[in-house]
Amino acid sequence: MGAAVLVIGAGPAGSACARLLALGGRSVQLVDAQPIGRDKVCGDGLIPDAHHALERLGLLEAVMAEAERVAHVGCIGPGGGRIDVPGRLAVLPRRRLDEILVRGALAAGATFLQARFEAPLEEDGRVVGARLRRGEETLEVRASTVLLATGAAAKPLQAAGMCTRQAPSGIALRGYVHAPSMVGRIRALEVAWTKAVRPGYGWIFPAPDGHFNIGVGVSDSHSDGRMKDVNLRQLFDDFVAAYPPAQQLMREGQLVGELKGAPLRCTLAGSHFTRPGLMVIGEAAGSTYDFTGEGIGKAMQTGMLAADAILQQPDDDAAARAQYEAALVALQPRFALYAKANRVNAFPWLADLLIWRAKKSERLLRRMAGVLEETSNPGNLLTLKGFTRLFTE
């Protein structure tokens, strides 16, 4: 079997990349170990960067036709203070979002193969395809370029010789609750910091059809390659006990399926970005933001950056890889600022301070809204200079 470009992983990064490449006239084979419409542990929140990416892909209208539109992120501090930050926001479960993205890639001309990635095919130090497993059958698929979009799992990165950090950056646990009685009572993307969930945070996001996505996340969950003393299920129970809306949701609603956990790879760290014939995109490249755990928009963005590089540097693998790496390097300062802002999770009283001051400062609220729109730097809210401005603006 052969394909001009092989994209391994049909999540937001892989599907976005495949769609742009196919629209650009390239032959694309999209591969995933799971069938189209598979589930993915995620908060499901679509913040402005995801909207921008979907708009460029020409899929925003299809997504928003099914998504739950939301007007604010509700930031709740451990002292009970709250500020609602406006933004262009929505929620759509990943099972459906990812299916729309895959179908978009197929509509553009890509093909889909359900198979598991085992290892790259190499010749003279260059990746020339991949060895895949489909049931009991081993397939060798040759390609001019392979894009690895395999998410937070370290094993595919290790098989490809691209892993620089086996441990994840963070961990999260989420569940879906069907609670029609809570519709209209929880209307924002609620993110709550409580002492009970330190060093993490809890969330409740309203989803379509009377459902809610509820979960907890912990950034910086591993140290020296080992997981810290963190029990996600206990943190979830503590979040529910400490946050009254979560108590009410679990009391009045019905849990749909099981609570599911997943690792996170953040801060554009933990892997090499490229090697001859191969690019790493999406969460495999660490495209999830520290502090917020948001990764859908940035995963799509990395996929599109790789597609742009391939289309703009045809038949020049070295130039395409250099363009893609330069684009990721340009993003790294923003990821570093989100890592700096992550101190809120370790010191939740900082959230109380920001909320208290934002209620008194329209300018600060605009800056917080700018963080959502990526026109303001989140880390600057928590520097010494930023603290000074809290009391002078």
Side-chain angles (χ1 to χ4, degrees):
M1 298 179 65
V5 180
L6 180 61
V7 182
I8 301 171
S15 294
C17 183
R19 178 169 169 83
L20 280 195
L21 287 171
L23 289 173
R26 300 300 294 266
S27 174
V28 183
Q29 176 81 72
L30 182 60
V31 176
D32 199 279
Q34 301 297 320
I36 295 174
R38 87 286 191 275
D39 193 20
K40 172 70 168 65
V41 175
C42 183
D44 301 333
L46 300 172
I47 66 172
D49 68 343
H51 288 250
H52 295 316
L54 290 166
E55 194 167 31
R56 185 185 172 195
L57 291 169
L59 298 174
L60 180 61
E61 186 176 343
V63 169
M64 293 306 292
E66 300 186 29
E68 182 75 14
R69 297 171 186 262
V70 181
H72 297 87
V73 172
C75 299
I76 299 97
R82 177 185 181 121
I83 191 74
D84 287 320
V85 182
R88 186 164 62 144
L89 311 160
V91 180
L92 185 64
R94 283 289 300 277
R95 183 187 296 276
R96 184 60 187 136
L97 173 69
D98 288 14
E99 181 174 358
I100 291 173
L101 291 170
V102 173
R103 300 292 182 193
L106 301 186
T111 58
F112 180 82
L113 173 66
Q114 185 180 344
R116 186 178 72 253
F117 171 72
E118 289 194 335
L121 300 177
E122 300 185 44
E123 291 180 0
D124 300 322
R126 175 187 167 89
V127 174
V128 295
R131 187 173 73 247
L132 309 173
R133 189 76 172 173
R134 182 175 61 182
E136 299 301 317
E137 183 183 12
T138 297
L139 307 175
E140 290 192 352
V141 179
R142 297 183 67 85
S144 61
T145 305
V146 175
L147 294 119
L148 201 62
T150 47
K155 187 174 180 179
L157 288 169
Q158 291 175 305
M162 303 300 283
C163 189
T164 62
R165 185 194 64 218
Q166 184 173 353
S169 312
I171 49 177
L173 182 77
R174 74 99 174 96
Y176 291 110
V177 177
H178 187 226
S181 65
M182 297 295 290
V183 173
R185 294 153 75 181
I186 298 177
R187 304 171 67 177
L189 302 183
E190 298 204 344
V191 182
W193 290 272
T194 72
K195 294 178 181 178
V197 188
R198 180 182 176 186
Y201 55 91
W203 73 78
I204 305 175
F205 295 170
D209 303 322
H211 289 80
F212 294 83
N213 183 313
I214 180 172
V216 291
V218 178
S219 301
D220 192 27
S221 61
H222 289 66
S223 178
D224 298 325
R226 295 183 178 183
M227 185 172 171
K228 296 178 181 177
D229 186 18
V230 176
N231 183 318
L232 273 180
R233 181 54 199 256
Q234 186 61 55
L235 283 181
F236 181 88
D237 291 342
D238 291 344
F239 170 58
V240 171
Y243 187 52
Q247 293 179 33
Q248 191 172 14
L249 179 69
M250 299 302 291
R251 183 172 61 249
E252 297 186 17
Q254 182 176 359
L255 187 66
V256 179
E258 299 178 348
L259 296 172
K260 294 183 179 181
L264 306 172
R265 294 181 77 87
C266 305
T267 321
L268 289 180
S271 76
H272 300 294
F273 295 146
T274 74
R275 57 182 288 205
L278 176 69
M279 297 181 183
V280 179
I281 62 176
E283 195 172 18
S287 64
T288 297
Y289 273 146
D290 212 344
F291 174 47
T292 64
E294 195 283 325
I296 296 173
K298 282 294 169 287
M300 288 189 284
Q301 185 176 351
T302 62
M304 293 190 294
L305 288 171
D308 288 340
I310 292 168
L311 293 172
Q312 292 167 17
Q313 307 290 344
D315 305 317
D316 192 338
D317 175 68
R321 289 187 294 111
Q323 178 176 324
Y324 175 59
E325 290 213 14
L328 293 191
V329 168
L331 287 176
Q332 283 178 328
R334 177 166 294 278
F335 278 81
L337 288 166
Y338 272 82
K340 185 184 294 184
N342 189 47
R343 67 189 68 181
V344 169
N345 293 330
F347 304 102
W349 59 268
L350 292 171
D352 276 330
L353 177 60
L354 285 172
I355 291 166
W356 168 77
R357 192 66 186 99
K359 287 184 174 182
K360 299 175 179 292
S361 171
E362 186 66 30
R363 182 181 296 180
L364 178 57
L365 181 59
R366 288 197 300 269
R367 286 169 59 199
M368 294 174 73
V371 170
L372 285 177
E373 291 286 351
E374 298 195 325
T375 57
S376 297
N377 291 328
N380 288 350
L381 294 174
L382 298 169
T383 60
L384 180 59
K385 181 178 179 181
F387 277 122
T388 302
R389 291 176 68 180
L390 287 179
F391 297 97
T392 58
E393 291 186 346

